Amino acid sequence: MPATILTKGDFVYDLVWNHSAGRVTGNLHNSHGRPFYFYVVMLPLLFIPWIFVPHVWRLHLPARIRGLIQTRSSDLSALRLLTMSFVAVVLVFSAISGKQPHYLVPVLPLATIVFGYFMAEVPPARIKAAAFCMLAMFGIGHAIASATAFKLYDLTPLTNFIDERKDAAWAVDFDYQDEVGFLARLQKPFESTDNPEGWLRSHPGGYVIDKSFKAPETSAQIAFSLHVERGYLVVLKGQH
């Protein structure tokens, strides 16, 4: 309510309409538009590591489901409710343009209960072994990523550079999403510019952070550069 009053309704309009409707239609910037079958392709990954456990393949799920229907089991209504709720959510999200894998996290408990119901016959030792192997694989993968890919997301060198010059004027010339605001403990936000040269002429003691998709060439104007996930972050300096 305070945000609504202070922004005269603009906050609610942007959040409820521009953001939500834009993500549904795919018109929102970075709305992660994906094909309708995206979640169908992702579903097998949700059952790792259990799909690698031989006992799971011996559950004969179609036969067991037919048995529940024929015997009119008291569990059938609960299983039907859980299954249809999960399927309905997946279908609705599939019809939406913007999709991310973690959007389905709130409905995972529904699938987990159904899957756990049918996995009750699997020996606990097999489940423990599969879970241990999964954790070991995750740990090894995380260790490898920490030594390689994760370094491309470490902005500490840039924040150290900024901290040493925090009294200077700073601006950004790319789609900045406050990547270094917290890390650099900024006391004021960066200015935004689409004309670095002009901004530096009016702020001769300042710096502009730009993004390049290729390695920057050696230049006296480049004060700092950092290789990141998608290219390079380059700091341009004025006539200090």
Side-chain angles (χ1 to χ4, degrees):
M1 291 303 297
T4 303
I5 295 172
L6 291 174
T7 62
K8 298 180 180 179
D10 290 342
F11 172 76
V12 173
Y13 178 81
D14 288 337
L15 179 66
V16 176
W17 182 250
N18 284 349
H19 186 84
S20 300
R23 195 170 294 279
V24 169
T25 61
N27 293 326
L28 182 71
H29 179 58
N30 291 332
S31 62
H32 309 291
R34 305 183 192 277
F36 70 95
Y37 54 83
F38 175 74
Y39 286 126
V40 177
V41 177
M42 289 289 301
L43 283 178
L45 299 179
L46 300 180
F47 296 102
I48 293 175
W50 315 123
I51 58 176
F52 298 123
V53 181
H55 283 75
V56 173
W57 291 98
R58 303 191 195 110
L59 292 177
H60 305 295
L61 293 182
R64 291 194 60 186
I65 294 173
R66 285 195 300 269
L68 291 173
I69 297 175
Q70 293 172 357
T71 58
R72 299 181 181 275
S73 172
S74 58
D75 298 333
L76 188 60
S77 59
L79 291 172
R80 184 185 292 117
L81 173 64
L82 293 169
T83 303
M84 293 306 298
S85 299
F86 177 82
V87 171
V89 171
V90 172
L91 290 177
V92 169
F93 273 87
S94 296
I96 293 174
S97 176
K99 301 180 187 67
Q100 285 283 68
H102 57 268
Y103 290 177
L104 292 183
V105 168
V107 296
L108 283 182
L110 307 179
T112 301
I113 294 173
V114 175
F115 199 57
Y117 176 87
F118 290 105
M119 282 184 61
E121 297 178 2
V122 178
R126 295 290 183 180
I127 296 178
K128 292 179 181 179
F132 176 80
C133 291
M134 190 68 181
L135 289 174
M137 292 171 58
F138 178 81
I140 294 172
H142 195 281
I144 295 174
S146 296
T148 55
F150 286 175
K151 291 184 177 181
L152 297 177
Y153 295 87
D154 184 11
L155 300 180
T156 303
L158 175 60
T159 60
N160 291 337
F161 183 87
I162 295 173
D163 185 63
E164 295 171 357
R165 299 158 180 82
K166 57 185 177 183
D167 294 331
W170 285 86
V172 291
D173 180 31
F174 65 97
D175 185 17
Y176 178 64
Q177 298 184 23
D178 205 29
E179 289 90 342
V180 298
F182 175 77
L183 289 175
R185 301 296 193 272
L186 298 181
Q187 298 299 314
K188 59 181 180 180
F190 289 150
E191 293 185 31
S192 180
T193 179
D194 55 4
N195 182 11
E197 297 294 337
W199 189 90
L200 288 173
R201 281 195 296 270
S202 61
H203 300 80
Y207 298 88
V208 174
I209 305 176
D210 199 357
K211 180 175 285 188
S212 174
F213 292 102
K214 60 181 181 179
E217 299 178 357
T218 303
S219 171
Q221 192 179 18
I222 297 178
F224 179 86
S225 67
L226 178 66
H227 186 201
V228 293
E229 177 207 6
R230 297 178 181 177
Y232 294 81
L233 288 177
V234 181
V235 177
L236 306 176
K237 64 179 181 179
Q239 300 298 324
H240 290 248

